[in-house]
Amino acid sequence: MNLNNKSKSTKLFLGLCFDALGYVSFVFPFFDILWAPLSSYLMTELYKGKKGKIAAVFVFIEEALPFSDVIPTFTIMWIYTYYFDKSTKASNKAPN
């Protein structure tokens, strides 16, 4: 599965969907057993490199810990990638 080459809006939509899936554990607590490793894998597929691996560790811990599912980790990572990460801004600019 190659999610890294998706557009900004597609990654945002997927991130919002993945964050919403994290809320399922409030109804079905055992969902986290499956969702924590899967969300970690999906994070590494959406965002390659060191920042994707670091975010994958955070999303795994956040999903595995009870009552911390309210943190929208995928959305925060999208905001970081497209608004705060200087290396991403430089690569998104068109050459003059």
Side-chain angles (χ1 to χ4, degrees):
M1 183 175 358
N2 189 3
L3 298 174
N4 190 38
N5 296 330
K6 301 292 183 189
S7 69
K8 276 174 50 171
S9 58
T10 303
K11 283 187 178 185
L12 176 61
F13 177 75
L14 287 172
L16 291 170
C17 291
F18 296 154
D19 284 332
L21 271 172
Y23 295 128
V24 171
S25 64
F26 286 118
V27 178
F28 303 108
F30 293 108
F31 180 72
D32 277 340
I33 295 170
L34 297 173
W35 182 241
L38 181 59
S39 65
S40 181
Y41 170 74
L42 290 170
M43 185 66 84
T44 60
E45 289 297 311
L46 276 173
Y47 304 100
K48 294 294 184 186
K50 186 177 180 180
K51 68 180 178 181
K53 291 176 185 176
I54 292 170
V57 170
F58 279 115
V59 77
F60 181 83
I61 292 169
E62 181 251 330
E63 293 295 341
L65 291 174
F67 306 112
S68 65
D69 294 335
V70 296
I71 303 168
T73 314
F74 283 95
T75 306
I76 291 170
M77 182 61 181
W78 184 87
I79 292 168
Y80 169 76
T81 299
Y82 292 107
Y83 289 100
F84 294 107
D85 188 19
K86 293 176 184 175
S87 65
T88 304
K89 284 184 180 180
S91 66
N92 284 341
K93 289 185 180 179
N96 293 330

